[in-house]
Amino acid sequence: MSVFSGMNISSSALTAQRLRMDTVSANIANADSTRARINEDGEFEPYRRKIVNFQSDSPSFRDQFSKIKGDENKTVNGVKVASITEDDAPFVTVYNPNHPDADEAGYVQMPNVDPLQEMVDLMSATRSYEANVTAFNATKGMLMKALEIGK
Amino acid sequence: MTFFSRTFDSLQHGLDYAALNNKTIANNIANVDTANYKAREVEFKSILDNELKTNMEAKRTHEKHFNFNEGINQFNVTTNKGTSYNHNGNNVDIDKEMSNLATNQIYYNALIDRMNGQFNSLQSVIRGGS
């Protein structure tokens, strides 16, 4: 466990939250994209909402080893993004016969993005980001204070 | 009588605890949105016991009497597995973590301040009070 591991923990969370914000941005940007990709049948498919999954960063081999050896071990490791998955929720169907992607009955499949949900997620990510900035500054302040010992 | 009084050891252990506590809190805050993460906590009491162990000896009239110096000689990081504050199984109380973070900072700064006080006292003695 190095001196700066506290800062590394906080910065890992900053990276993760930043990626979450980016994903939310992508979701909102594509809230109306009916042609996100081409499926197996050669037809356009609407955009699917992306979800970021966090995971507590697993301890390294060295940490596990020293734990078994009985050495001092604290296993504080921060967070990482485990995966970005797609929301399986059904697409929203809207009646719009003039749309180029409308089917024979005049219905268009729109992305399963709920702007409200995205905004809540965005605010949550922002708050978490701020909390981690505070934690980072706390660690930094303590390290700077430690440099004053003996002055 | 040692040159460096036992106060230094106590302060040093206190600083060790505060540093570890800070890392644990930082980790809890980092994992505030992680599914199934359970908050961790550093226990200070064991280290206090350890400090007292060398200072205080119980007067025992029988060998099977309990001594004061029972206890583990490290701080423990414990995980609070019992609760769940969120639908995703997370139990980090962000308000609690933030206030603990602030408290810990002040505690750490106070210890550093005392350490500097000790050094200044020593310096004063070395200079002969001049």
Side-chain angles (χ1 to χ4, degrees):
Chain A
M1 198 167 72
S2 78
V3 186
F4 300 109
S5 66
M7 290 165 115
N8 290 339
I9 289 165
S10 292
S11 47
S12 77
L14 291 179
T15 313
Q17 298 293 347
R18 173 73 68 176
L19 181 68
R20 194 167 147 214
M21 282 189 233
D22 291 346
T23 312
V24 170
S25 304
N27 286 344
I28 295 175
N30 286 295
D32 293 316
S33 302
T34 51
R35 298 182 178 187
R37 78 176 91 166
I38 296 172
N39 62 14
E40 297 85 15
D41 306 330
E43 290 169 358
F44 286 116
E45 199 175 275
Y47 178 83
R48 276 199 183 276
R49 175 172 172 257
K50 305 274 189 295
I51 307 167
V52 177
N53 298 310
F54 288 162
Q55 181 191 328
S56 186
D57 206 353
S58 56
S60 64
F61 177 78
R62 188 179 159 187
D63 291 337
Q64 296 286 14
F65 186 67
S66 56
K67 190 177 183 180
I68 292 164
K69 253 173 60 187
D71 288 356
E72 203 172 307
N73 178 57
K74 310 299 181 218
T75 60
V76 265
N77 290 291
V79 66
K80 72 173 181 186
V81 174
S83 60
I84 298 177
T85 50
E86 293 193 333
D87 194 345
D88 285 334
F91 292 123
V92 182
T93 318
V94 179
Y95 182 69
N96 186 1
N98 298 324
H99 198 284
D101 294 321
D103 59 11
E104 293 80 26
Y107 285 97
V108 190
Q109 291 212 311
M110 300 297 281
N112 54 356
V113 176
D114 179 9
L116 201 68
Q117 198 176 359
E118 298 304 324
M119 291 314 289
V120 170
D121 214 27
L122 183 67
M123 280 172 68
S124 168
T126 313
R127 295 285 175 265
S128 300
Y129 191 89
E130 283 167 4
N132 280 294
V133 169
T134 311
F136 186 93
N137 282 334
T139 315
K140 187 181 147 198
M142 282 167 68
L143 286 176
M144 294 310 286
K145 193 75 183 173
L147 288 176
E148 289 173 20
I149 297 177
K151 263 191 185 170
Chain B
M1 178 73 193
T2 49
F3 182 66
F4 290 104
S5 66
R6 286 202 41 76
T7 318
F8 277 110
D9 290 340
S10 306
L11 287 172
Q12 194 198 323
H13 282 123
L15 286 171
D16 280 346
Y17 158 76
L20 176 63
N21 200 16
N22 180 61
K23 276 170 194 167
T24 314
I25 293 169
N27 198 44
N28 285 342
I29 295 173
N31 284 290
V32 73
D33 292 311
T34 308
N36 295 319
Y37 177 83
K38 300 294 184 195
R40 295 182 189 145
E41 216 170 326
V42 185
E43 281 182 347
F44 179 69
K45 199 183 166 298
S46 48
I47 192 71
L48 185 69
D49 287 346
N50 191 39
E51 279 307 306
L52 291 176
K53 181 166 80 179
T54 40
N55 285 338
M56 265 205 267
E57 280 287 328
K59 169 112 177 114
R60 295 185 300 171
T61 52
H62 191 276
E63 59 177 352
K64 284 190 176 171
H65 282 172
F66 279 113
N67 204 349
F68 285 159
N69 53 11
E70 303 293 333
I72 320 144
N73 57 3
Q74 272 187 359
F75 356 80
N76 292 336
V77 180
T78 56
T79 311
N80 184 7
K81 291 200 180 89
T83 54
S84 206
Y85 294 164
N86 214 334
H87 64 276
N88 63 2
N90 190 298
N91 73 346
V92 177
D93 182 349
I94 188 70
D95 297 322
K96 188 183 131 200
E97 299 298 337
M98 292 313 277
S99 63
N100 281 348
L101 186 76
T103 314
N104 192 52
Q105 251 179 304
I106 296 167
Y107 176 68
Y108 189 88
N109 287 352
L111 287 177
I112 297 266
D113 191 69
R114 280 303 75 228
M115 202 135 193
N116 281 333
Q118 288 285 317
F119 274 119
N120 284 337
S121 307
L122 271 179
Q123 235 164 9
S124 172
V125 169
I126 291 165
R127 281 198 305 264
S130 62

mmCIF file of all heavy atoms in Angstrom, chain A residues 12 54-60 63 75-81, chain B residues 27 31 34 37 40:
data_model
loop_
_atom_site.group_PDB
_atom_site.id
_atom_site.type_symbol
_atom_site.label_atom_id
_atom_site.label_comp_id
_atom_site.label_asym_id
_atom_site.label_seq_id
_atom_site.Cartn_x
_atom_site.Cartn_y
_atom_site.Cartn_z
ATOM 1 N N SER A 12 -9.612 6.667 -9.507
ATOM 2 C CA SER A 12 -10.275 5.581 -10.233
ATOM 3 C C SER A 12 -11.776 5.833 -10.290
ATOM 4 O O SER A 12 -12.424 5.598 -11.319
ATOM 5 C CB SER A 12 -9.976 4.231 -9.575
ATOM 6 O OG SER A 12 -10.746 4.062 -8.407
ATOM 7 N N PHE A 54 -20.559 -0.833 -12.550
ATOM 8 C CA PHE A 54 -19.362 -0.665 -11.728
ATOM 9 C C PHE A 54 -19.055 -1.939 -10.965
ATOM 10 O O PHE A 54 -19.935 -2.740 -10.685
ATOM 11 C CB PHE A 54 -19.568 0.465 -10.713
ATOM 12 C CG PHE A 54 -19.561 1.823 -11.340
ATOM 13 C CD1 PHE A 54 -20.085 2.906 -10.664
ATOM 14 C CD2 PHE A 54 -19.027 2.012 -12.589
ATOM 15 C CE1 PHE A 54 -20.088 4.168 -11.235
ATOM 16 C CE2 PHE A 54 -19.018 3.263 -13.174
ATOM 17 C CZ PHE A 54 -19.549 4.340 -12.490
ATOM 18 N N GLN A 55 -17.774 -2.032 -10.629
ATOM 19 C CA GLN A 55 -17.339 -3.196 -9.861
ATOM 20 C C GLN A 55 -16.210 -2.745 -8.955
ATOM 21 O O GLN A 55 -15.346 -1.976 -9.382
ATOM 22 C CB GLN A 55 -16.843 -4.262 -10.849
ATOM 23 C CG GLN A 55 -16.375 -5.540 -10.194
ATOM 24 C CD GLN A 55 -15.662 -6.434 -11.189
ATOM 25 O OE1 GLN A 55 -15.985 -6.451 -12.379
ATOM 26 N NE2 GLN A 55 -14.680 -7.154 -10.717
ATOM 27 N N SER A 56 -16.245 -3.193 -7.720
ATOM 28 C CA SER A 56 -15.154 -2.885 -6.806
ATOM 29 C C SER A 56 -13.907 -3.574 -7.331
ATOM 30 O O SER A 56 -13.929 -4.777 -7.587
ATOM 31 C CB SER A 56 -15.507 -3.398 -5.411
ATOM 32 O OG SER A 56 -14.534 -2.995 -4.505
ATOM 33 N N ASP A 57 -12.842 -2.788 -7.536
ATOM 34 C CA ASP A 57 -11.647 -3.340 -8.177
ATOM 35 C C ASP A 57 -11.067 -4.453 -7.312
ATOM 36 O O ASP A 57 -10.770 -4.243 -6.140
ATOM 37 C CB ASP A 57 -10.612 -2.236 -8.382
ATOM 38 C CG ASP A 57 -9.693 -2.553 -9.539
ATOM 39 O OD1 ASP A 57 -9.794 -3.674 -10.062
ATOM 40 O OD2 ASP A 57 -8.896 -1.684 -9.907
ATOM 41 N N SER A 58 -10.925 -5.626 -7.904
ATOM 42 C CA SER A 58 -10.478 -6.774 -7.110
ATOM 43 C C SER A 58 -9.021 -6.589 -6.692
ATOM 44 O O SER A 58 -8.227 -6.017 -7.437
ATOM 45 C CB SER A 58 -10.636 -8.052 -7.913
ATOM 46 O OG SER A 58 -9.944 -7.926 -9.126
ATOM 47 N N PRO A 59 -8.664 -7.086 -5.519
ATOM 48 C CA PRO A 59 -7.291 -6.936 -5.048
ATOM 49 C C PRO A 59 -6.316 -7.657 -5.969
ATOM 50 O O PRO A 59 -6.668 -8.671 -6.572
ATOM 51 C CB PRO A 59 -7.311 -7.596 -3.669
ATOM 52 C CG PRO A 59 -8.726 -7.779 -3.316
ATOM 53 C CD PRO A 59 -9.505 -7.810 -4.580
ATOM 54 N N SER A 60 -5.122 -7.122 -6.073
ATOM 55 C CA SER A 60 -4.130 -7.734 -6.944
ATOM 56 C C SER A 60 -3.626 -9.039 -6.340
ATOM 57 O O SER A 60 -3.874 -9.350 -5.175
ATOM 58 C CB SER A 60 -2.963 -6.775 -7.136
ATOM 59 O OG SER A 60 -2.328 -6.569 -5.906
ATOM 60 N N ASP A 63 -1.638 -8.486 -3.236
ATOM 61 C CA ASP A 63 -2.435 -8.228 -2.034
ATOM 62 C C ASP A 63 -2.963 -9.519 -1.442
ATOM 63 O O ASP A 63 -2.897 -9.745 -0.237
ATOM 64 C CB ASP A 63 -3.610 -7.302 -2.380
ATOM 65 C CG ASP A 63 -3.157 -5.906 -2.714
ATOM 66 O OD1 ASP A 63 -2.051 -5.542 -2.268
ATOM 67 O OD2 ASP A 63 -3.886 -5.191 -3.404
ATOM 68 N N THR A 75 -6.352 -4.126 1.471
ATOM 69 C CA THR A 75 -7.159 -4.303 0.264
ATOM 70 C C THR A 75 -8.158 -3.168 0.016
ATOM 71 O O THR A 75 -9.343 -3.376 0.006
ATOM 72 C CB THR A 75 -7.938 -5.634 0.273
ATOM 73 O OG1 THR A 75 -8.796 -5.662 1.394
ATOM 74 C CG2 THR A 75 -6.999 -6.804 0.292
ATOM 75 N N VAL A 76 -7.639 -1.996 -0.138
ATOM 76 C CA VAL A 76 -8.476 -0.886 -0.601
ATOM 77 C C VAL A 76 -8.049 -0.580 -2.028
ATOM 78 O O VAL A 76 -6.908 -0.260 -2.274
ATOM 79 C CB VAL A 76 -8.362 0.362 0.298
ATOM 80 C CG1 VAL A 76 -9.449 0.372 1.323
ATOM 81 C CG2 VAL A 76 -7.028 0.428 0.973
ATOM 82 N N ASN A 77 -8.974 -0.714 -2.944
ATOM 83 C CA ASN A 77 -8.554 -0.744 -4.338
ATOM 84 C C ASN A 77 -9.340 0.128 -5.293
ATOM 85 O O ASN A 77 -9.080 0.092 -6.475
ATOM 86 C CB ASN A 77 -8.593 -2.172 -4.851
ATOM 87 C CG ASN A 77 -7.511 -2.994 -4.225
ATOM 88 O OD1 ASN A 77 -6.340 -2.788 -4.492
ATOM 89 N ND2 ASN A 77 -7.887 -3.884 -3.349
ATOM 90 N N GLY A 78 -10.318 0.845 -4.811
ATOM 91 C CA GLY A 78 -11.043 1.702 -5.734
ATOM 92 C C GLY A 78 -12.102 0.967 -6.532
ATOM 93 O O GLY A 78 -12.539 -0.115 -6.171
ATOM 94 N N VAL A 79 -12.472 1.575 -7.645
ATOM 95 C CA VAL A 79 -13.592 1.055 -8.421
ATOM 96 C C VAL A 79 -13.184 0.995 -9.886
ATOM 97 O O VAL A 79 -12.275 1.714 -10.322
ATOM 98 C CB VAL A 79 -14.831 1.954 -8.215
ATOM 99 C CG1 VAL A 79 -14.620 3.325 -8.784
ATOM 100 C CG2 VAL A 79 -16.080 1.334 -8.778
ATOM 101 N N LYS A 80 -13.823 0.120 -10.623
ATOM 102 C CA LYS A 80 -13.580 0.087 -12.070
ATOM 103 C C LYS A 80 -14.876 -0.222 -12.797
ATOM 104 O O LYS A 80 -15.828 -0.728 -12.198
ATOM 105 C CB LYS A 80 -12.508 -0.942 -12.409
ATOM 106 C CG LYS A 80 -12.943 -2.383 -12.277
ATOM 107 C CD LYS A 80 -11.861 -3.298 -12.807
ATOM 108 C CE LYS A 80 -12.283 -4.754 -12.699
ATOM 109 N NZ LYS A 80 -11.229 -5.686 -13.071
ATOM 110 N N VAL A 81 -14.887 0.106 -14.074
ATOM 111 C CA VAL A 81 -16.070 -0.184 -14.872
ATOM 112 C C VAL A 81 -15.958 -1.613 -15.362
ATOM 113 O O VAL A 81 -15.033 -1.971 -16.086
ATOM 114 C CB VAL A 81 -16.179 0.803 -16.050
ATOM 115 C CG1 VAL A 81 -17.317 0.406 -16.956
ATOM 116 C CG2 VAL A 81 -16.389 2.208 -15.538
ATOM 117 N N ASN B 27 -12.265 4.815 -0.380
ATOM 118 C CA ASN B 27 -12.738 3.631 -1.111
ATOM 119 C C ASN B 27 -14.256 3.502 -1.035
ATOM 120 O O ASN B 27 -14.904 3.155 -2.020
ATOM 121 C CB ASN B 27 -12.066 2.386 -0.537
ATOM 122 C CG ASN B 27 -12.144 1.216 -1.471
ATOM 123 O OD1 ASN B 27 -11.916 1.361 -2.667
ATOM 124 N ND2 ASN B 27 -12.485 0.066 -0.941
ATOM 125 N N ASN B 31 -16.865 3.718 -4.229
ATOM 126 C CA ASN B 31 -17.777 2.629 -4.575
ATOM 127 C C ASN B 31 -19.222 2.937 -4.221
ATOM 128 O O ASN B 31 -20.013 2.022 -3.992
ATOM 129 C CB ASN B 31 -17.336 1.343 -3.873
ATOM 130 C CG ASN B 31 -16.134 0.736 -4.541
ATOM 131 O OD1 ASN B 31 -16.228 0.239 -5.646
ATOM 132 N ND2 ASN B 31 -14.993 0.806 -3.882
ATOM 133 N N THR B 34 -21.442 1.288 -6.732
ATOM 134 C CA THR B 34 -21.139 -0.085 -7.112
ATOM 135 C C THR B 34 -22.175 -1.030 -6.527
ATOM 136 O O THR B 34 -22.430 -0.999 -5.325
ATOM 137 C CB THR B 34 -19.746 -0.469 -6.599
ATOM 138 O OG1 THR B 34 -18.815 0.514 -7.011
ATOM 139 C CG2 THR B 34 -19.336 -1.816 -7.129
ATOM 140 N N TYR B 37 -21.737 -3.567 -3.214
ATOM 141 C CA TYR B 37 -20.582 -3.187 -2.399
ATOM 142 C C TYR B 37 -21.041 -2.916 -0.975
ATOM 143 O O TYR B 37 -22.081 -2.303 -0.759
ATOM 144 C CB TYR B 37 -19.914 -1.942 -2.979
ATOM 145 C CG TYR B 37 -18.756 -1.442 -2.155
ATOM 146 C CD1 TYR B 37 -17.500 -2.006 -2.307
ATOM 147 C CD2 TYR B 37 -18.925 -0.436 -1.213
ATOM 148 C CE1 TYR B 37 -16.442 -1.559 -1.547
ATOM 149 C CE2 TYR B 37 -17.866 0.007 -0.447
ATOM 150 C CZ TYR B 37 -16.642 -0.565 -0.615
ATOM 151 O OH TYR B 37 -15.591 -0.122 0.153
ATOM 152 N N ARG B 40 -16.859 -0.343 4.301
ATOM 153 C CA ARG B 40 -15.830 -0.819 5.231
ATOM 154 C C ARG B 40 -15.559 0.230 6.281
ATOM 155 O O ARG B 40 -15.797 1.411 6.084
ATOM 156 C CB ARG B 40 -14.545 -1.136 4.472
ATOM 157 C CG ARG B 40 -14.708 -2.274 3.521
ATOM 158 C CD ARG B 40 -13.400 -2.567 2.829
ATOM 159 N NE ARG B 40 -13.630 -3.534 1.767
ATOM 160 C CZ ARG B 40 -12.981 -3.527 0.621
ATOM 161 N NH1 ARG B 40 -12.061 -2.621 0.386
ATOM 162 N NH2 ARG B 40 -13.224 -4.427 -0.290
#
